[in-house]
Amino acid sequence: MNGVAGLGSYYRIRPEVAGGLGDDAVLDHTGERPVVTHLHYEVADWLGDCIVSTSPEYLVVPGTAARLQGAGFRSFRLAEAQVTASDQFEIFNPGGSPPELLWLRVDGTPGVDDLGITEAGHLVVSEAVLELLRADGFDHGLVLPWSAEQV
């Protein structure tokens, strides 16, 4: 499924920031913006949402990844991510484990594809993707209307 520009609604979403880049993250700084080549996500606390973020990357739980693929959305790739618990996670979740997460590598065009990344690194999704995320438990993020005039 690919959205068609001008048809349907698009939204900029800001998922819960459940952690940040860990020490093992590898970034390529040769371009205009840093590009993550190895994602190490260190979870500080997780409220249970199916999608989380750390600038400039997004991660999803495996069930959501499978549903995105199963629905036919093609403007993303999935990759393994190194996910670890921070000291803070241990304090808030004694004996707990961080969630299993997959790296959601979005390569679509905002307002054209079902998942797209703006030049500023914001995630833009079609109404169909937003409905899937909400059904899977996207409860703590921010959803804003988006149009092609926005940067």
Side-chain angles (χ1 to χ4, degrees):
M1 288 183 182
N2 277 344
V4 178
L7 296 179
S9 298
Y10 288 89
Y11 301 89
R12 184 179 129 202
I13 65 169
R14 292 179 24 197
E16 168 195 0
V17 178
L21 294 178
D23 291 340
D24 293 338
V26 177
L27 284 80
D28 177 353
H29 293 278
T30 59
E32 192 172 306
R33 288 188 335 197
V35 175
V36 177
T37 59
H38 172 78
L39 180 56
H40 174 202
Y41 191 71
E42 194 170 64
V43 181
D45 197 15
W46 179 54
L47 300 175
D49 277 12
C50 65
I51 182 169
V52 296
S53 68
T54 184
S55 184
E57 302 301 331
Y58 301 90
L59 299 97
V60 292
V61 297
T64 298
R67 281 185 273 294
L68 286 167
Q69 288 177 317
F73 301 122
R74 295 184 302 259
S75 49
F76 69 94
R77 296 170 284 127
L78 295 168
E80 294 296 318
Q82 178 184 351
V83 179
T84 59
S86 71
D87 292 340
Q88 184 178 353
F89 183 86
E90 299 296 334
I91 292 168
F92 291 134
N93 305 277
S97 298
E100 184 179 345
L101 296 168
L102 294 169
W103 189 359
L104 182 68
R105 301 192 73 175
V106 177
D107 52 19
T109 302
V112 175
D113 297 308
D114 287 295
L115 295 100
I117 296 288
T118 67
E119 287 186 25
H122 299 135
L123 180 57
V124 174
V125 300
S126 67
E127 191 162 0
V129 170
L130 181 60
E131 287 176 9
L132 185 148
L133 294 173
R134 284 182 167 156
D136 275 11
F138 176 51
D139 300 318
H140 299 95
L142 183 61
V143 177
L144 303 165
W146 184 87
S147 68
E149 292 80 37
Q150 294 175 331
V151 185

